[in-house]
Amino acid sequence: MFFLDFGDPIVKLLGEWSGELTLASMLLRIAASVMLGVLLGCERATKRHAAGLRTFMLVSLAACCAMMIDIYLISSLGVMFPIVSAAALVGAATISSSSILYSSKNQIKGLTTSAGLWACALIGLAAGAGLYSVTLIGFLALIISLSLFPSFERFLKNRSDHFEIHLELASRQVLPDFTATVRALGLRIDDIESNPAYHNSGLSVYTVSLTVVGGELKKYKTHREIITALGSPDYVRYIEEIS
């Protein structure tokens, strides 16, 4: 049998059988990969992301099985490289990249879910290798990153000096009025890009990059308050920050 002698405390707790590639240990590793994948998928599904429970579960399970196959090939047949695991990781990267979407408002969505799927595959590989402590620690770090850090990230973004907005104006003729309002509020326009997706809509739509230069804005105003002020003129049909 192939035994992983790396001093994993969970292996020591469960016994040597859990570090060997036996039927019992294979069932344990598969169960761990499925359970952790389900928990990660539930976190994404509750936030209505495209890749949810089943996707995370299958990615973790596939990576776990790939690693166990490689362990068998290396220990029994003398294969030199973990070919199946590498292929599984490439497949997970391909799947995760498919969850990245570009909206008509020039917003990139699904990037966090994509990175989460790739990290989930790594956790599945660790479970398949019998690295139970690495699997558990990696899972806890990932679930904390996905569930707790978004609030902190929003706090930082809402107070940064640079941000982008999706802007819909009644017509192109009012763009100079909008730029004057921007400058009066203590903002600098770094870039204005017309959005071609709205050319036949009757609106004049732009992606605008802004920098906060006014001292008062830096001290007291959040992006939400700034955008509310920018959206107050009648000629502004819609405005929102691009996340």
Side-chain angles (χ1 to χ4, degrees):
M1 297 296 177
F2 181 75
F3 180 72
L4 296 172
D5 186 15
F6 53 83
D8 191 313
I10 296 181
V11 171
K12 293 180 180 179
L13 178 65
L14 296 176
E16 290 189 1
W17 67 269
S18 62
E20 299 172 351
L21 195 60
T22 63
L23 178 60
S25 67
M26 286 189 290
L27 291 175
L28 175 62
R29 297 175 194 189
I30 288 174
S33 67
V34 169
M35 180 184 67
L36 298 182
V38 165
L39 292 175
L40 290 169
C42 285
E43 192 281 334
R44 293 283 88 187
T46 55
K47 296 178 181 177
R48 301 184 65 82
H49 293 282
L53 188 151
R54 288 179 297 173
T55 305
F56 274 82
M57 179 187 71
L58 291 174
V59 166
S60 181
L61 173 61
C64 176
C65 291
M67 177 56 76
M68 290 192 293
I69 292 171
D70 272 334
I71 290 174
Y72 173 78
L73 294 176
I74 292 171
S75 61
S76 301
L77 303 180
V79 176
M80 298 300 296
F81 303 102
I83 301 173
V84 182
S85 300
L89 199 55
V90 171
T94 303
I95 294 171
S96 64
S97 65
S98 300
S99 65
I100 301 176
L101 303 174
Y102 296 86
S103 72
S104 59
K105 298 176 182 178
N106 284 347
Q107 291 177 306
I108 300 176
K109 297 184 177 181
L111 192 59
T112 300
T113 299
S114 175
L117 276 172
W118 182 75
C120 182
L122 293 176
I123 291 173
L125 290 176
L131 302 171
Y132 302 108
S133 295
V134 174
T135 301
L136 182 59
I137 293 171
F139 165 75
L140 291 176
L142 181 55
I143 198 70
I144 289 172
S145 299
L146 291 175
S147 59
L148 298 183
F149 277 84
S151 298
F152 181 62
E153 184 180 26
R154 284 193 297 270
F155 174 82
L156 293 178
K157 284 185 175 181
N158 204 31
R159 287 160 177 79
S160 66
D161 290 342
H162 307 278
F163 62 101
E164 285 188 326
I165 59 171
H166 170 82
L167 174 67
E168 299 179 10
L169 299 177
S171 67
R172 181 181 293 271
Q173 286 69 33
V174 297
L175 183 59
D177 296 329
F178 178 79
T179 57
T181 301
V182 168
R183 295 189 179 99
L185 287 173
L187 301 169
R188 183 181 72 233
I189 298 176
D190 298 320
D191 184 53
I192 299 180
E193 181 181 349
S194 178
N195 193 326
Y198 292 83
H199 278 174
N200 297 321
S201 66
L203 294 172
S204 184
V205 181
Y206 305 91
T207 298
V208 186
S209 300
L210 300 170
T211 297
V212 179
V213 293
E216 290 300 311
L217 286 180
K218 288 185 177 183
K219 289 174 61 177
Y220 302 111
K221 300 296 182 181
T222 65
H223 293 178
R224 181 175 297 179
E225 293 171 313
I226 294 172
I227 290 173
T228 299
L230 290 175
S232 58
D234 294 337
Y235 54 77
V236 177
R237 294 291 183 261
Y238 184 79
I239 184 171
E240 70 173 351
E241 183 175 4
I242 298 176
S243 57

